[in-house]
């Protein structure tokens, strides 16, 4: 197992603390080596703190604030972020423990979820905008219950019924973000393959396509489809989710669920690259109305296929 899988991803607050300290050091025009000499804090420790891989102890934070000449407001912000940096209460926003059925079924952890996925749920719940690109299936926030169940069973063939049930439950509860007051804006781009693949059979897929048409009319949700006719495009390398947050001090975040584990990217260069990639994919995709027309066409085709069966 890799270090990325063993180490819990940083919380939003720890990421904020790291970003603030990086910015203060840059404004002070100091290298990590110079800071280490002035504070006695190891260079490796400074690196880990600035990469949100470690929470600074109070005496370390105090020393850094002194060296950086942090003002009163900055000190208050840094101390608040440091105090709450390890608060992982938002990792399980849809219930603190698996259901009794899931526990009886032998699911590991929280319905078998990785710590990285739980961290993503917390980030998603705090996001201002969720930009999701999917090449093979419908984004999780836009899935119907039967479609979600079929996807989970297909992707996790060894999962027991209790674990599948728990994963479906969490996925359905996450949909409350779509209607929550001050919930995130959802911007979804799908490859046409995600619409045409009859996951769960024609009836399940028709229900899913109809749901996409309905949800795509909501003011806070945008659904775009890249048609087969667009040919090769930049999103063929894989799916990803880009998040930004209401507080400008919180760095943007990119998350991807890969066979090797959860991948989080939060450097300015990486998040800008993925945000630009998402905009390029939106430009290649059909507009809102034409995307809805393609989805409605898929619904008609699936109704015909369902009637044959």
């Amino acid at each position: 197992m890799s270090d990325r899988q063993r180490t819990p991803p940083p919380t939003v607050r720890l990421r904020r603390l790291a970003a603030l300290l990086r910015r203060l050091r840059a404004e002070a025009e100091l290298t990590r080596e110079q800071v280490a000499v002035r504070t006695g804090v190891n260079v490796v420790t400074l690196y880990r703190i600035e990469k949100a891989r470690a929470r600074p102890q109070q005496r370390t934070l105090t020393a850094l604030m002194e060296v950086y000449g942090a003002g009163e407001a900055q000190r208050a912000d840094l101390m608040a972020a440091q105090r709450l940096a390890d608060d992982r209460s938002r990792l399980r926003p849809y219930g603190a423990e698996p259901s009794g059925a899931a526990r009886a079924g032998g699911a590991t952890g929280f319905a078998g979820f990785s710590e990285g996925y739980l961290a993503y749920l917390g980030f998603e719940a705090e996001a201002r905008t969720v930009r999701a690109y999917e090449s093979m299936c419908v984004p999780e926030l836009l899935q119907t219950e039967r479609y979600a169940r079929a996807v989970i069973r297909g992707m996790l063939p060894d999962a027991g019924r209790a674990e599948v049930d728990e994963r479906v439950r969490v996925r359905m509860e996450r949909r409350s973000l779509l209607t929550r007051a001050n919930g995130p804006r959802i911007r979804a781009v799908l490859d046409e393959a995600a619409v045409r693949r009859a996951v769960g059979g024609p009836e399940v897929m028709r229900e899913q396509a109809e749901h996409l048409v309905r949800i795509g009319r909501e003011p806070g949700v945008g659904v775009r489809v890249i048609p087969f006719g667009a040919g090769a495009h930049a999103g063929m390398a894989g799916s990803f989710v880009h998040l930004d947050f209401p507080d400008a001090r919180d760095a943007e975040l990119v998350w991807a669920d890969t066979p090797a584990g959860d991948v989080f990217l939060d450097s300015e260069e990486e998040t800008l690259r993925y945000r630009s990639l998402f905009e390029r994919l939106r430009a290649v995709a059909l507009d809102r109305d034409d995307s809805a027309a393609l989805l409605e066409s898929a619904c008609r085709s699936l109704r015909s296929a369902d009637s044959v069966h």
Side-chain angles (χ1 to χ4, degrees):
M1 185 179 292
S2 68
D3 288 341
R4 182 184 65 226
Q5 292 169 296
R6 284 197 300 267
T7 304
T11 63
V12 169
R13 297 171 185 87
L14 184 57
R15 292 174 60 241
R16 177 185 298 175
L17 177 60
L20 289 171
L21 289 172
R22 289 197 305 269
R23 186 178 307 129
L24 283 174
R25 182 170 64 81
E27 291 173 355
E29 299 182 343
L30 295 171
T31 66
R32 289 196 189 100
E33 289 74 15
Q34 290 171 326
V35 173
V37 170
R38 297 189 187 189
T39 63
V41 179
N42 186 280
V43 172
V44 175
T45 299
L46 287 171
Y47 175 85
R48 288 175 56 78
I49 290 171
E50 290 190 357
K51 292 295 184 180
R53 295 179 184 175
R55 173 180 177 269
Q57 296 183 1
Q58 185 61 53
R59 63 178 180 272
T60 299
L61 181 59
T62 299
L64 294 175
M65 291 189 296
E66 288 292 334
V67 169
Y68 298 152
E72 185 176 342
Q74 291 173 322
R75 285 172 179 261
D77 200 11
L78 286 162
M79 292 174 67
Q82 189 264 356
R83 186 173 63 254
L84 299 171
D86 290 337
D87 180 6
R88 310 189 76 79
S89 60
R90 297 301 295 272
L91 290 184
R92 298 180 179 182
Y94 307 97
E97 297 294 339
S99 67
R103 289 193 296 270
T108 59
F110 183 65
F113 293 145
S114 68
E115 191 74 11
Y117 187 74
L118 291 173
Y120 170 73
L121 297 186
F123 293 141
E124 179 186 77
E126 295 190 21
R128 178 182 63 180
T129 310
V130 177
R131 298 176 181 86
Y133 166 70
E134 283 287 352
S135 59
M136 299 301 291
C137 62
V138 173
E140 293 182 4
L141 280 174
L142 305 183
Q143 293 178 3
T144 63
E145 182 171 350
R146 292 202 296 173
Y147 180 92
R149 188 174 300 278
V151 167
I152 292 167
R153 283 176 173 166
M155 296 182 69
L156 299 173
D158 296 327
R161 179 175 178 178
E163 181 177 345
V164 172
D165 288 346
E166 197 71 12
R167 286 175 176 270
V168 172
R169 181 188 68 80
V170 170
R171 197 165 293 189
M172 293 302 98
E173 290 187 19
R174 285 166 59 199
R175 298 198 308 179
S176 65
L177 293 176
L178 302 177
T179 55
R180 190 187 73 190
N182 299 319
R185 297 171 297 184
I186 311 300
R187 300 291 180 261
V189 175
L190 298 71
D191 192 280
E192 187 174 350
V195 178
R196 299 296 183 182
R197 185 180 301 277
V199 173
E203 181 182 350
V204 171
M205 194 62 217
R206 174 176 53 79
E207 179 184 69
Q208 175 63 71
E210 290 172 346
H211 176 68
L212 287 174
V213 173
R214 287 194 302 272
I215 201 69
R217 298 191 184 109
E218 295 295 324
V221 180
V223 178
R224 302 285 189 89
V225 181
I226 299 176
F228 287 143
H233 58 80
M236 294 173 68
S239 305
F240 63 91
V241 179
H242 176 284
L243 306 175
D244 64 39
F245 301 91
D247 194 320
R249 295 169 298 180
D250 294 331
E252 296 178 3
L253 181 69
V254 173
W255 173 75
D257 182 13
T258 76
D262 302 280
V263 175
F264 290 89
L265 305 172
D266 64 357
S267 74
E268 185 175 355
E269 180 182 1
E270 291 167 329
T271 57
L272 178 60
R273 178 161 56 88
Y274 272 90
R275 187 164 184 165
S276 298
L277 171 58
F278 187 83
E279 293 307 318
R280 287 200 300 272
L281 293 172
R282 286 187 79 243
V284 172
L286 300 173
D287 64 21
R288 191 185 189 103
D289 292 340
D290 287 343
S291 292
L294 186 150
L295 291 168
E296 289 167 351
S297 173
C299 291
R300 291 191 294 272
S301 299
L302 289 162
R303 288 192 194 99
S304 300
D306 193 27
S307 64
V308 170
H309 289 84

